[in-house]
Amino acid sequence: MSSSPSHLLLGVGNPLLDISSEVDMKMVNKYDLKMGTACLAEKKHLPVYEELSKLKTVKYIAGGATLNSIRVAQWMIQKEGATGYVGCVGNDDYAKKMKECAEADGVKTHFLTNKETPTGTCACLIVDKERSLCANLAAANEYKVDHMKSIKSVYEPVKFTYIAGFFITVSPDTIMLLAKHCLEQKTTFAMNLSAEFIMQVPPFAKALKEALPYMDYLFGNELEAAAFGKMMGYDTTSVPKIAALASKEKSAGSKKRTVVFTQGSNCTCVAIDGKATQYKVPKLEKKLIVDVNGAGDAFVGGFISQSLAGSEIATCVDAGHYAAQVIIQSSGTNLTGKPDYKTAKAEVVGTETA
């Protein structure tokens, strides 16, 4: 474990080894899974990991939502030591693969190792370019706030802290420690809604609401936005209006919250101070799309990379679109070579107020 060099961006989340393959709907239905969603593994889901691993088409990819975003941000930034990642892994080969993969991409890992529990895995079932995710957190679920307190030299200098909503199921105490630290140090704190169940399960919804006032950025997709609106009691199902209302929720600091909701190939909504702006997503030929898994995570990584550079929102959105479209042209969050991103502004196609 090393605390140098200081990171610009720190991700905290659930390190999972993705076990990914194209399958048919019969297998999806067999495990009572749904396309386009993510869930935590229950007993009925556990055999899916072994079944996937036996397929000739299976691929193993170091992942977890937060790590995917951090890897993409590091790839976009192209500066050694710019990013770091914290989570809990087991003492096994999967953990070694995770560390090797992350650090090969330039992300410095600061793992807590749990010797009693194996490294977490995520089943990724792909059907017609859409995916269903089922996470068996295992060691990732064993992260403790005391570890974060012990690596103060890692998180203290960071300018931007990002946590996917999935981590709410693991350590709300860690989230609040970092949220309050960012507020005190006037640095940026961001979270992602990540999955509908976060808003639907009362303890998780409570933890999300507790962290909300500290969020400078809130990310999500259209399904998560709808679940968030329902949780908050908003009298609308409009994604731009939900974004606008969320941006106006009480803040613990003086900064205005930025809410960013993606909608696949439809417009990306960004709301600040009750006004939602809709940005056009560049068209990508259908034949170029290989796997939409990780598109949302990649968008966040691209967006944050430009935010750290001090770019305006339209450029952050454009970079997010670029990163997402790079990722969906290969299987998994696969990063090769250097980005050829040329700074531009996403096209505004509409606005809406709360």
Side-chain angles (χ1 to χ4, degrees), residues 74-134:
Q74 175 65 42
W75 179 70
M76 291 285 287
I77 294 168
Q78 289 287 310
K79 179 182 177 183
E80 186 179 353
T83 64
Y85 177 76
V86 177
C88 185
V89 296
N91 186 24
D92 52 27
D93 287 341
Y94 280 176
K96 291 175 185 174
K97 286 181 183 177
M98 188 90 60
K99 185 180 179 72
E100 287 169 3
C101 178
E103 300 203 353
D105 287 334
V107 179
K108 179 66 179 176
T109 58
H110 307 275
F111 287 142
L112 168 64
T113 300
N114 184 297
K115 295 181 180 179
E116 311 299 321
T117 316
T119 297
T121 50
C122 183
C124 177
L125 287 70
I126 305 168
V127 180
D128 294 332
K129 302 176 184 179
E130 193 172 17
R131 85 287 188 254
S132 178
L133 302 178
C134 184

Side-chain angles (χ1 to χ4, degrees), residues 19 21 23-52 121-127 130-136 196-197:
I19 304 175
S21 179
V23 299
D24 55 27
M25 281 304 299
K26 185 178 178 181
M27 185 171 175
V28 175
N29 294 331
K30 176 182 176 180
Y31 292 103
D32 195 25
L33 296 170
K34 294 180 181 178
M35 300 310 298
T37 65
C39 71
L40 293 178
E42 300 173 27
K43 189 175 181 180
K44 64 183 178 181
H45 298 128
L46 295 181
V48 73
Y49 303 96
E50 185 176 354
E51 186 169 345
L52 277 173
T121 50
C122 183
C124 177
L125 287 70
I126 305 168
V127 180
E130 193 172 17
R131 85 287 188 254
S132 178
L133 302 178
C134 184
N136 183 18
E196 294 166 86
F197 77 84

Side-chain angles (χ1 to χ4, degrees), residues 282-340:
K283 190 170 183 178
L284 183 67
E285 287 186 61
K286 195 171 182 179
K287 67 180 181 181
L288 296 176
I289 300 172
V290 175
D291 176 10
V292 296
N293 182 32
D297 298 334
F299 174 89
V300 172
F303 186 103
I304 291 175
S305 72
Q306 285 300 309
S307 178
L308 283 166
S311 300
E312 60 183 282
I313 290 293
T315 300
C316 295
V317 172
D318 185 71
H321 290 160
Y322 165 82
Q325 292 193 341
V326 167
I327 290 304
I328 66 176
Q329 291 182 65
S330 62
S331 183
T333 307
N334 186 28
L335 300 165
T336 55
K338 292 185 178 182
D340 59 359

Side-chain angles (χ1 to χ4, degrees), residues 271-288:
I272 306 171
D273 200 23
K275 180 182 178 182
T277 302
Q278 298 174 67
Y279 295 93
K280 183 179 180 180
V281 177
K283 190 170 183 178
L284 183 67
E285 287 186 61
K286 195 171 182 179
K287 67 180 181 181
L288 296 176

Side-chain angles (χ1 to χ4, degrees), residues 31-291:
Y31 292 103
D32 195 25
L33 296 170
K34 294 180 181 178
M35 300 310 298
T37 65
C39 71
L40 293 178
E42 300 173 27
K43 189 175 181 180
K44 64 183 178 181
H45 298 128
L46 295 181
V48 73
Y49 303 96
E50 185 176 354
E51 186 169 345
L52 277 173
S53 67
K54 289 179 179 178
L55 298 176
K56 291 181 179 179
T57 51
V58 70
K59 292 183 180 179
Y60 296 92
I61 306 161
T66 302
L67 180 54
N68 286 340
S69 294
I70 300 302
R71 287 172 57 222
V72 170
Q74 175 65 42
W75 179 70
M76 291 285 287
I77 294 168
Q78 289 287 310
K79 179 182 177 183
E80 186 179 353
T83 64
Y85 177 76
V86 177
C88 185
V89 296
N91 186 24
D92 52 27
D93 287 341
Y94 280 176
K96 291 175 185 174
K97 286 181 183 177
M98 188 90 60
K99 185 180 179 72
E100 287 169 3
C101 178
E103 300 203 353
D105 287 334
V107 179
K108 179 66 179 176
T109 58
H110 307 275
F111 287 142
L112 168 64
T113 300
N114 184 297
K115 295 181 180 179
E116 311 299 321
T117 316
T119 297
T121 50
C122 183
C124 177
L125 287 70
I126 305 168
V127 180
D128 294 332
K129 302 176 184 179
E130 193 172 17
R131 85 287 188 254
S132 178
L133 302 178
C134 184
N136 183 18
L137 298 183
N141 204 38
E142 300 303 317
Y143 190 82
K144 300 292 185 284
V145 68
D146 286 345
H147 176 258
M148 187 62 69
K149 291 176 179 176
S150 74
I151 56 169
K152 200 171 182 180
S153 59
V154 172
Y155 74 79
E156 269 204 328
V158 167
K159 302 299 181 187
F160 198 117
T161 300
Y162 174 71
I163 306 176
F166 292 119
F167 196 66
I168 282 174
T169 71
V170 174
S171 184
D173 288 348
T174 301
I175 292 173
M176 292 311 299
L177 172 74
L178 293 172
K180 291 175 180 178
H181 168 77
C182 290
L183 177 64
E184 290 167 3
Q185 298 301 314
K186 294 182 172 58
T187 57
T188 302
F189 179 71
M191 287 194 69
N192 198 312
L193 295 176
S194 294
E196 294 166 86
F197 77 84
I198 299 295
M199 281 68 72
Q200 296 164 347
V201 178
F204 303 157
K206 182 182 177 183
L208 179 66
K209 287 179 180 178
E210 186 180 1
L212 182 60
Y214 297 88
M215 295 180 202
D216 299 303
Y217 286 91
L218 173 62
F219 295 93
N221 65 26
E222 71 274 30
L223 296 176
E224 296 150 11
F228 179 84
K230 191 172 181 180
M231 177 189 76
M232 298 299 289
Y234 297 159
D235 187 24
T236 182
T237 57
S238 161
V239 172
K241 285 187 177 179
I242 292 169
L245 288 166
S247 73
K248 292 283 285 182
E249 290 292 338
K250 185 180 178 182
S251 175
S254 58
K255 285 193 281 184
K256 293 177 181 178
R257 181 180 303 108
T258 302
V259 179
V260 186
F261 290 150
T262 57
Q263 301 182 91
S265 60
N266 294 323
C267 296
T268 296
C269 299
V270 181
I272 306 171
D273 200 23
K275 180 182 178 182
T277 302
Q278 298 174 67
Y279 295 93
K280 183 179 180 180
V281 177
K283 190 170 183 178
L284 183 67
E285 287 186 61
K286 195 171 182 179
K287 67 180 181 181
L288 296 176
I289 300 172
V290 175
D291 176 10

